[in-house]
Amino acid sequence: VQLQASGGGLVQAGGSLRLSCAASGRGFIGTDMGWFRQAPGKEREFVAGISWTGGITFYANSVRGRFTISRDNAKNTVYLQMNSLKPEDTAVYYCAAGGGGRSEQNYDYWAQGTLVTVSS
C-alpha cells in the first residue's frame, strides 16, 4: 500500500480543515487506518483510527468531539475532518495503514506528513 496525505495548511483558531489520505496498490480494503501527528519538539501521537469497514472509529481524548475520521473504500481514501481547531493542534499529520489500534507500531505503511498550522 502506498499512501499520500494532503489537505494541510494554515487556518485560524476555530476554523476547519479536511485531510485526505489516498491509497494506491493492493491492500487498502481490509486494512485499518489511522491518523497520527507530531508537533514541534514532541513525539508522534495517535489522533484517530478507523476499522477497514468504517464501522469502528476511535479518537484521542484531545480531539474527540472535534475531529471525525472516515473512509471511502470505493475511492481508496481516508479522511480526517478537523473542526474547532486550536493552536495546540499544530503539527505534521500522518496517515498510516496496518493492523489498527492506537500504537504506531501496529501500522506498516505511512504517508509523508502534511503540515497543519493553527494560528491564534
Side-chain angles (χ1 to χ4, degrees):
V1 178
Q2 293 81 45
L3 304 174
Q4 183 165 2
S6 61
L10 174 64
V11 63
Q12 289 188 331
S16 298
L17 280 176
R18 187 176 80 158
L19 305 183
S20 298
C21 178
S24 59
R26 300 178 64 182
F28 183 77
I29 303 298
T31 298
D32 292 353
M33 301 292 294
W35 284 96
F36 292 76
R37 67 185 181 186
Q38 187 167 21
K42 295 187 177 181
E43 293 186 352
R44 190 157 57 185
E45 64 177 2
F46 170 79
V47 175
I50 188 167
S51 64
W52 74 271
T53 64
I56 298 173
T57 59
F58 47 99
Y59 299 90
N61 289 337
S62 58
V63 307
R64 187 176 292 112
R66 300 187 297 122
F67 291 11
T68 302
I69 188 171
S70 62
R71 66 190 294 164
D72 184 339
N73 286 342
K75 296 182 178 180
N76 283 4
T77 302
V78 64
Y79 304 98
L80 186 68
Q81 177 66 43
M82 305 185 295
N83 298 329
S84 302
L85 282 161
K86 304 175 181 180
E88 51 264 43
D89 294 318
T90 294
V92 177
Y93 284 72
Y94 301 87
C95 67
R102 298 172 183 268
S103 173
E104 59 182 273
Q105 280 72 34
N106 295 341
Y107 293 84
D108 302 307
Y109 304 97
W110 292 81
Q112 87 294 346
T114 186
L115 177 63
V116 173
T117 303
V118 184
S119 63
S120 58

